[in-house]
Amino acid sequence: MAYEALMRPQLPTLRSPITVMQLASEMGRLYDIEKLTFFRACECYEELEAAGKLDADALIFVNSIASVSLSDEDWASYCEAHSAILPKLVVEITEEEEMNERELERKRNCPRCARRLCAG
């Protein structure tokens, strides 16, 4: 069993994830979306897990932007904050952005992070 973390904007004028991604790209803020996605998805997963609402072996799929990777500092912070669920993390690469091989390799080789990587 697995759960996929999905972006669901709550603003009345900004309801589409595609629109959010387009705006972030135009404003040079894709990194912010990537960071928020990783951290918030795992926080939600951990909250549900603590409440006993998830199967103990359930995986979490997190969509990652193909052209962006977290900085070393943010990866370290992420891994420290969410170490308990890292073995359950599956990174799914989005198709909206052009693939960046360097960023993809950073995701693949992050210590203790991104154990599973798939194109989505």
Side-chain angles (χ1 to χ4, degrees):
M1 183 177 303
Y3 295 89
E4 183 174 15
L6 300 172
M7 180 190 301
R8 294 295 179 252
Q10 299 298 312
L11 299 171
T13 57
L14 193 59
R15 304 217 35 104
S16 165
I18 292 171
T19 304
V20 170
M21 296 298 291
Q22 288 171 339
L23 287 172
S25 181
E26 290 170 12
M27 297 175 69
R29 303 292 299 264
L30 287 175
Y31 185 89
D32 296 322
I33 297 292
E34 181 80 348
K35 183 177 177 182
L36 182 63
T37 298
F38 268 90
F39 279 84
R40 191 65 190 125
C42 287
E43 288 166 4
C44 290
Y45 182 93
E46 289 166 341
E47 290 167 10
L48 291 170
E49 188 175 51
K53 295 182 178 183
L54 300 179
D55 184 74
D57 297 331
L59 301 175
I60 177 169
F61 281 67
V62 176
N63 291 315
S64 180
I65 301 168
S67 61
V68 179
S69 180
L70 297 180
S71 68
D72 291 344
E73 182 179 334
D74 283 338
W75 272 126
S77 177
Y78 176 81
C79 290
E80 182 179 333
H82 304 292
S83 62
I85 65 166
L86 289 177
K88 301 174 184 181
L89 176 65
V90 179
V91 177
E92 184 176 2
I93 305 301
T94 62
E95 298 170 344
E96 288 80 23
E97 289 291 312
E98 187 174 321
M99 182 66 68
N100 180 308
E101 290 297 324
R102 184 177 73 95
E103 300 302 338
L104 181 62
E105 283 305 310
R106 283 181 48 79
K107 291 173 193 184
R108 273 195 186 120
N109 296 315
C110 176
R112 299 181 0 223
C113 288
R115 298 244 186 251
R116 297 178 184 92
L117 188 65
C118 39

